[in-house]
């Protein structure tokens, strides 16, 4: 994991990738930031590093393959950056959940 930074700084640095993923204009993203509607409660991200897995619920990831960097944007756990090593895995997981209530 890279050192934690303020959320506005992370979003600014990754704005191009986030705007592309969310299909929103970069200028709008920088002006308004992310909102609850940008996150899905049925989507999670796992960053699987050697010996440890970090899981972020209600999250999405953007990746810079050329530099081996990933930023995970989570509704409740903030915005976290990682530098990936060989064989590390980033998985975006979509879940369909059924909860039976009696």
């Amino acid at each position: 994991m890279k050192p934690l930074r303020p959320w506005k700084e992370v979003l600014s640095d990754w704005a191009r990738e986030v705007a592309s993923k969310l299909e929103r204009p970069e200028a709008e993203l920088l002006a308004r930031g992310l909102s609850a509607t940008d996150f899905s409660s049925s989507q999670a991200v796992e960053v699987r590093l050697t010996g440890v897995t970090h899981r972020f619920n209600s999250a999405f990831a953007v990746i810079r393959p050329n530099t081996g960097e990933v930023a995970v944007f989570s509704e409740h756990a903030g915005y976290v950056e990682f530098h990936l090593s060989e064989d590390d895995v980033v998985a975006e997981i979509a879940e369909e959940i059924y909860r039976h209530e009696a």
Side-chain angles (χ1 to χ4, degrees):
M1 186 177 332
K2 293 173 76 173
L4 296 176
R5 300 189 296 152
W7 69 268
K8 286 184 181 181
E9 194 174 308
V10 176
L11 183 58
S12 178
D13 283 354
W14 290 85
R16 189 187 77 208
E17 292 91 343
V18 173
S20 177
K21 181 155 191 125
L22 299 179
E23 299 179 343
R24 289 178 46 199
E26 188 175 337
E28 175 191 313
L29 182 67
L30 289 171
R32 297 184 185 168
L34 297 173
S35 70
T37 59
D38 293 314
F39 302 96
S40 169
S41 61
S42 65
Q43 183 156 343
V45 173
E46 286 186 0
V47 180
R48 301 172 187 157
L49 310 173
T50 303
V52 65
T53 297
H54 299 277
R55 182 179 173 93
F56 301 89
N57 294 321
S58 299
F60 64 87
V62 290
I63 300 167
R64 292 180 178 152
N66 294 340
T67 61
E69 295 174 287
V70 61
V72 178
F73 293 85
S74 170
E75 183 177 17
H76 301 293
Y79 307 162
V80 183
E81 299 167 289
F82 294 86
H83 186 77
L84 302 173
S85 298
E86 189 173 349
D87 296 328
D88 290 344
V89 172
V90 177
E92 286 190 318
I93 302 162
E95 300 178 313
E96 291 186 37
I97 298 171
Y98 168 79
R99 180 176 291 131
H100 181 73
E101 296 181 17

